[in-house]
Amino acid sequence: MIKTHWAVACALACFSTAGLAQAPVSAGTVKNAAGEVLIERAGQKLPAAVGAPVFAADRLRTGADGSVGITLKDNTLLSAGPNSLLSLVKFAFDSTTNAGAMSVGIRKGTLSVATGKIARQTPESIDFHTPTTVLGVRGTEFVIEVGRGSDE
Amino acid sequence: MNKLNRLALPLLFTLLAGCASERVVLLPSADGRATAVVVRDEVGKRMLDKPYAGSVRRFGLGSDYQSSPAEVQEIFGQALAARPPRPKSFIVYFQEGSTDALTPASLAEFETVKKEIASRPAAELTVIGHTDRVGSLDLNDQLSLSRAATVRDLLIAAGLAGDKIETAGRGEREPLVPTADEVAEPQNRRVEISVR
């Protein structure tokens, strides 16, 4: 009986280790953070400290005194001013071929963008969107403001 | 009426731009390359392709306008101030056939790389090894990986955490200087260190 328990425990341990090994690769890293900045991931709110990883499907929220800067794996630079809500809807990048895809939404606030390697390799696989507008990227640097937006 | 239009329309647009609910402004590209953004909404699509070309949207009405560095600074100053430092690439060279000996000039360059890393918040690196075309493809794949691993070890010895360094080897596929096969070319025996 005890043996069986051990076998089950081992199997579970192995399973969870395998689960960890398959954890998703981060899409980027927080490089600057000031004031209140939160990463929303799977219903949790995490403080976005410098060095924190950012994953596809994360949302980033800045408070009235907040700002945040993120470098994605393809060298895209995203940064947001106060009272902003961004979502990294989609991010995929292969550092060997430079192929990838990216979709970023801004619901409110201010966002500055300097695109990276994906934009150079496959610009058609990138979009930035606001509640009413979709931006196609043919080049490198731009800013977006959404004055009033919903929180969802 | 015409005169009124000429006065009133720009005024109207200025007012609308002043309280826009959405705005996009194209910035000059850092490297001087041609750049553009295509703005699509339910009405249609417009192309912004000049520095500081802007598009504003208010009450469902989209219109183009010319923004300025001052306006961008006023609205986006805090977002731009939070922008991470631009990624930067360095190249170090290896002695012929060697996987562990950098050229003397590259040893000096490596010091510059270390300073660059230290100056950045939460620095991360991609290290990509390359070879010249002497030897077989397979051999050069291994050689390029070994060179990348050497640089990785040097970086770790310099105090960087291993999990911040991604390595890859591209063998002889991406020569800096194109050559015929089996030609020794010092410029191609290199490792690119990309710091972000």
Side-chain angles (χ1 to χ4, degrees):
Chain A
M1 191 59 192
I2 289 168
K3 262 186 183 168
T4 316
H5 275 143
W6 272 110
V8 170
C10 281
L12 281 174
C14 291
F15 187 73
S16 54
T17 309
L20 280 179
Q22 286 171 0
V25 184
S26 70
T29 303
V30 174
K31 302 288 187 181
N32 287 320
E36 186 192 9
V37 186
L38 293 173
I39 298 174
E40 298 178 3
R41 181 179 303 148
Q44 283 190 301
K45 291 185 180 178
L46 313 160
V50 171
V54 176
F55 294 89
D58 281 0
R59 299 208 302 181
L60 281 124
R61 194 185 287 271
T62 59
D65 63 344
S67 65
V68 64
I70 295 159
T71 303
L72 299 178
K73 289 243 154 116
D74 80 317
N75 288 353
T76 297
L77 310 179
L78 302 177
S79 57
N83 294 316
S84 299
L85 177 57
L86 309 181
S87 60
L88 183 56
V89 179
K90 181 169 78 179
F91 184 84
F93 177 62
D94 180 332
S95 61
T96 302
T97 61
N98 286 353
M102 180 186 336
S103 176
V104 176
I106 171 167
R107 306 294 303 195
K108 61 174 187 174
T110 51
L111 169 67
S112 109
V113 180
T115 58
K117 292 178 180 171
I118 301 174
R120 226 167 251 189
Q121 189 82 6
T122 51
E124 65 282 0
S125 63
I126 294 185
D127 76 78
F128 287 82
H129 51 271
T130 72
T132 63
T133 308
V134 179
L135 305 184
V137 177
R138 303 279 182 281
T140 53
E141 303 196 13
F142 51 95
V143 284
I144 310 172
E145 179 194 26
V146 177
R148 293 160 307 168
S150 93
D151 265 14
E152 300 307 313
Chain B
M1 188 58 199
N2 246 343
K3 196 175 178 187
L4 184 68
N5 265 344
R6 248 178 287 154
L7 287 172
L9 274 178
L11 182 66
L12 182 67
F13 280 129
T14 307
L15 284 173
L16 291 178
C19 49
S21 64
E22 285 187 22
R23 178 194 313 269
V24 179
V25 179
L26 183 71
L27 301 182
S29 61
D31 55 7
R33 271 174 208 249
T35 173
V37 167
V38 178
V39 181
R40 265 176 295 151
D41 56 23
E42 77 283 358
V43 180
K45 69 177 184 181
R46 301 180 299 282
M47 169 106 82
L48 309 179
D49 59 1
K50 302 275 188 309
Y52 299 101
S55 172
V56 289
R57 206 185 140 83
R58 172 89 177 149
F59 303 125
L61 171 76
S63 63
D64 294 347
Y65 79 111
Q66 184 67 27
S67 182
S68 64
E71 189 199 62
V72 166
Q73 189 55 40
E74 189 191 329
I75 300 172
F76 298 100
Q78 284 165 288
L80 288 166
R83 183 147 80 180
R86 289 176 196 283
K88 211 164 164 180
S89 278
F90 300 86
I91 297 180
V92 290
Y93 297 94
F94 282 77
Q95 296 175 20
E96 188 172 357
S98 172
T99 60
D100 57 6
L102 294 180
T103 63
S106 290
L107 284 172
E109 177 78 347
F110 195 75
E111 293 304 309
T112 313
V113 175
K114 286 201 283 192
K115 283 198 190 103
E116 182 68 33
I117 293 167
S119 76
R120 283 173 182 258
E124 296 163 282
L125 289 92
T126 305
V127 174
I128 299 165
H130 301 271
T131 67
D132 63 19
R133 299 192 62 191
V134 175
S136 70
L137 269 177
D138 281 353
L139 206 72
N140 280 332
D141 279 352
Q142 286 168 37
L143 186 58
S144 66
L145 270 175
S146 304
R147 283 177 176 161
T150 297
V151 170
R152 184 176 191 275
D153 290 346
L154 287 171
L155 290 164
I156 290 171
L160 201 73
D163 63 356
K164 303 292 177 214
I165 311 169
E166 190 184 340
T167 55
R170 294 200 190 147
E172 60 173 73
R173 290 174 192 79
E174 269 180 53
L176 203 59
V177 179
T179 67
D181 202 8
E182 297 304 324
V183 172
E185 172 51 65
Q187 294 241 70
N188 291 339
R189 298 192 289 269
R190 71 201 196 275
V191 169
E192 286 174 40
I193 306 171
S194 170
V195 188
R196 65 175 190 272

